Every structure is written in C-alpha cells, then in structure tokens.
Amino acid sequence: MQEVTVEAAATSTRDDPVMPPLQHAPSRARSTFALLWLSETAFDLGTTLVSFAVGVWIFSRTGSAQDYSFSVLAAALAGMLATPFAGALADRHDRRWVVLSCDVAAIAGTFAIVLALLSGRLGIGALYAYAAVAAAVGALRRPSIRVAVSRFVPKDRFAQVGGLTGISRALVQVGAPAAAGFLMARMGLQGVMATQLCLLLAGAALVFAALTRAGVDVRGGPRAGESSTRSTSLWRGAGASFSGALAYLREQPLMGALLGYGALVQCLLVLATTLLTPMVLSTHSSDVLGLVMSVGIVGGLLGSVLVATAWIRRGLMQWILACDALQCAAVLFAGCVTTPALWCAAAFVCLFCGSTSVACSHALWMRKAPMGRQGSVFALIAASNMLVMCVVLLAGGWLADAVLEPALRPGGALGATVGVWFGTGPGRGIGFLFFVSGAVGLVLTVVALAHRRLRRLETLVPDGGES
C-alpha cells in the first residue's frame, strides 16, 4: 500500500527520508518527543485519576448512576463544542502558548475545586462544570500537540508515535483506578485533586520545554509573507478552521470516506467499553468485571507495543481494515457468550486490534493531512468521535434498558425468536446488541476491504505538505 512512498524515498529525502527506527533518530528529536510523551502521560494520568474519583464521589453522595452519566455526557459535549476552536488555535497561533494557556486553565480549575473541598462548599453542579471545563481544555490542547509532533518526527515514524502513545495510555488505564482508589481511601477527593495539581504543573513545564526545544517549526501562526488577518477573530478562525478541514475532505474524498468509516467503527469501541459493565454485572460479580477489563487493557497495551516496535512503514490502510474486522468479530462473539473466560478472550482481541487500528489510523492522518490545516483536520476527527460517543451514551443505554433487555426477559417479545439463539434473562438484551453491532461493523469492514480505492488510499492520496 505504501509503494509510492517507498519509491519517492529514493528521490525525496525531505518528505520521506529513509530513517532508522525512532530510537536511532537524531538525539534532539528523540529528547523533544520524550518530553512531550512524558507531558502527555502526566496529563492523561491526572485526567484519569480525577475522572475515576469524581465518579466515585458523585455516586457515593447520590447513589444515582444517572448523576454519574451526566458528568460523562457534560464532558463529552464540552469537548465536542471546543474542537472547532482547537483547530483554529493549532493552525493559527504559537502552539507553545496555546498548550501552556490550556494547562494554566486546567491548573486554575483544579485549584478552585481544591478550595471548594477545603471549605466544604463543593456541590455536584461544580463537579459537572469542572468535568466540562477539563474536557474542553483537553480538546483545545490535543490538536496543537499532534501538529507539533508531526513537524519534527519523520513521517515513517508516525505509527511508532501512535504505538508509544497507546502504551502510555494503556498503562495509565491500568494504574490510575488503583491509584485513585488508594488516594480516595486515605485522603479523599482533595488528595486526588492535589495530585492532579502536581501532575498538571509538571506536565506544563515539560511540554513548554519540549515545544521551545523543537524550534520555530512547531510554533504555528502566520509565517513570513502571510497576511496578519489570518489571526483575526477566534470565532472567524474557528469557522475558517472547520471550513478548511471540510474543504480538504472534499478535495480528497477518500479521506472523507476514512473519517466516516472511522466514526462508525468508533461506535463499536464506545459501545463495547460502556455496555460491557452492565452486561457482565447482570450475571456476575464485580471481581469478574475487573478481570475481564484487566485482560482487555492488557490486550490494548500489547497492541500498542506491537505498533511501537514493529516499525510499520507501509500498508497502514490494510492494517486498519484487518484489525477492525477482527475487532468487530470480537464484539459479535462477546454478545454470543456468557462465560467469563470467553469474555476475557473477546476483550483481549477487541482491545488488541482496536489499539493497533487506532495507532495506524493516527499515523495515516498525520501523514496525509496538509501541514497548514492539520490542526483543523485533527479537530474535525475529534469532533466526529465525540459526537459518536454522545450518541452512543444516549441511545445505546436507552436501547438496552428500555427495549432489548425487557424483550429478552422470559416471556418477553423476542423470547420465542431471538431468545432461542441468545437465551433469555438479565444481560441477554445487551448481548444481542453486541451481536448486532459486531455484525454490522464486520459487514462494513468487509465492504471497505473489497473497495479497491479505499484499500489503496495510502498510495492514491498524496502526503501532506505546506498549504
């Protein structure tokens, strides 16, 4: 799939240099990426700690799962609304100051929550607001980081970058809940928030040092000879940002098809991660749920390790489609079975293939998106994924609780038909939803594999350059 890139390497050392693995890249690029990686890890760790702790705090005060789901929904909506501005900021302003401003906002918000906790005046509404602000800050921050990385990391290392990022996120997912539980048990929510403050301060220092070290190439903003009107109103910039991203997708319809395909497959991953909990807990204990989720996280970690160490230079689209097919098959399989061992196997395959696919997709977008509009394109991708998350959170839970679970109870509307194959009782409605979602995703992936132009996207769409 990457034959054109390999051939071009012989004639264009600037665009597609033949480089050794990332660990043998120039020391300046390695150290710069290491600082960014540590900063993002600190940011993700703090975010995950707080998300877990806030959920525990809300549920312990109200006993309502709906109150907790509202905090998740508030965060998703805020992040989605912030993404148009994220693209404009990443493409039109100095990315060092964009990221530093986001970090300062996150530090100020966390400090305000700590003060409210110490004064005894913290309410659920304040935590909803904090979750929304934290999600918006993360959405504004992320495209600037991704654009900066694409400026100093060689193109054929993008998959490794995605793999390394996946490794750190998987490790955070493994360790953060245990760390948050330890802190909550001994120091309460204020201990978690104090830890978050320390992580944010360290992350802000690391990322500013990294972007300063990377030099002018990652700073963004108008370049020599460009009109200063490019940095006028942020509102106009946000509109122009999305317009530019949509224009690119019109110019390259295959990338638009990839965006739509990726959003649909994202539905499966969100569905599997959100509805796995009620499906397992409907018939088994929380210990079984923890085992299944732990095995899945290990699978995701190993998938990221594979991409980080395999140095995948060609065939990214084939990797994406093949991994997505296996991921969809695992979701389908998870809906058909009812034993913990088989759920563990399905979770391992699903997250192993999902993390591999995400890392390869991440690399493909970094390689193909035009340099002058990368922030806008990355923001549009984030917005589409967040929109999918909101839809799944709202529709998936309602469909499972109000329609499928009652229909697959003993004597339910589907008990004599679908129930013959899937069984009846608690959790079988969610299992049937898993089966249908996996089957639809599998058909979609097979169609994509059969589509010759989409399969050859990597050679048909030119690599991004200055625009």
Side-chain angles (χ1 to χ4, degrees), residues 76-107:
L77 287 172
M80 184 174 64
L81 293 174
T83 50
F85 303 98
L89 291 170
D91 287 336
R92 298 164 183 267
H93 297 275
D94 190 324
R95 297 175 192 105
R96 296 174 304 165
W97 295 108
V98 171
V99 174
L100 185 61
S101 298
C102 289
D103 288 343
V104 169
I107 290 167

Side-chain angles (χ1 to χ4, degrees), residues 74-400:
L77 287 172
M80 184 174 64
L81 293 174
T83 50
F85 303 98
L89 291 170
D91 287 336
R92 298 164 183 267
H93 297 275
D94 190 324
R95 297 175 192 105
R96 296 174 304 165
W97 295 108
V98 171
V99 174
L100 185 61
S101 298
C102 289
D103 288 343
V104 169
I107 290 167
T110 304
F111 187 69
I113 294 295
V114 171
L115 290 180
L117 277 167
L118 294 176
S119 64
R121 297 178 180 176
L122 182 65
I124 294 176
L127 286 177
Y128 287 163
Y130 177 76
V133 169
V137 166
L140 291 172
R141 187 180 189 273
R142 204 166 293 116
S144 291
I145 296 290
R146 289 187 65 180
V147 173
V149 169
S150 71
R151 293 302 178 96
F152 67 86
V153 173
K155 290 180 180 179
D156 56 358
R157 302 301 171 278
F158 287 165
Q160 283 185 299
V161 167
L164 290 169
T165 303
I167 290 172
S168 63
R169 287 179 180 169
L171 291 174
V172 165
Q173 288 176 339
V174 171
F182 177 84
L183 291 171
M184 285 288 287
R186 284 158 179 78
M187 293 182 285
L189 186 58
Q190 49 270 59
V192 176
M193 288 298 179
T195 303
Q196 164 77 324
L197 268 179
C198 295
L199 290 169
L200 287 174
L201 288 168
L206 286 168
V207 74
F208 191 79
L211 296 184
T212 301
R213 182 181 178 83
V216 71
D217 287 343
V218 303
R219 292 183 187 176
R223 291 178 286 275
E226 291 183 337
S227 171
S228 61
T229 58
R230 193 178 178 206
S231 300
T232 56
S233 165
L234 183 59
W235 286 96
R236 292 181 181 178
S241 168
F242 251 45
S243 297
L246 292 173
Y248 170 67
L249 297 181
R250 286 194 294 269
E251 295 165 8
Q252 300 293 344
L254 284 177
M255 298 305 290
L258 178 62
L259 177 64
Y261 166 81
L264 290 173
V265 173
Q266 180 74 8
C267 285
L268 287 174
L269 193 57
V270 173
L271 182 74
T273 53
T274 55
L275 293 185
L276 177 67
T277 296
M279 184 172 73
V280 174
L281 290 181
S282 62
T283 53
H284 293 79
S285 68
S286 58
D287 291 341
V288 173
L289 175 64
L291 175 63
V292 174
M293 294 185 73
S294 297
V295 171
I297 290 171
V298 170
L301 175 61
L302 292 179
S304 297
V305 170
L306 170 67
V307 179
T309 58
W311 190 28
I312 300 171
R313 296 184 59 189
R314 63 177 72 187
L316 288 173
M317 196 63 205
Q318 284 99 330
W319 275 89
I320 293 169
L321 295 174
C323 288
D324 285 347
L326 291 173
Q327 179 184 350
C328 294
V331 172
L332 182 154
F333 179 74
C336 297
V337 300
T338 58
T339 59
L342 295 178
W343 278 333
C344 287
F348 182 91
V349 172
C350 181
L351 292 186
F352 178 90
C353 294
S355 63
T356 303
S357 173
V358 166
C360 291
S361 179
H362 176 96
L364 194 57
W365 280 105
M366 288 179 70
R367 182 177 294 180
K368 299 301 180 182
M371 286 292 186
R373 287 183 280 183
Q374 276 192 346
S376 304
V377 172
F378 295 157
L380 182 60
I381 296 169
S384 68
N385 288 339
M386 289 177 187
L387 179 61
V388 165
M389 181 181 293
C390 291
V391 171
V392 171
L393 285 172
L394 288 173
W398 173 83
L399 186 61

Side-chain angles (χ1 to χ4, degrees), residues 3-13 16:
E3 291 84 355
V4 172
T5 303
V6 175
E7 293 169 3
T11 57
S12 177
T13 57
D16 283 290

Side-chain angles (χ1 to χ4, degrees), residues 49-62:
L49 282 172
V50 169
S51 177
F52 182 89
V54 164
V56 171
W57 193 90
I58 290 176
F59 192 79
S60 66
R61 294 298 188 280
T62 68

Side-chain angles (χ1 to χ4, degrees), residues 428-439:
R428 288 297 76 211
I430 300 175
F432 180 59
L433 183 59
F434 267 57
F435 175 82
V436 172
S437 300

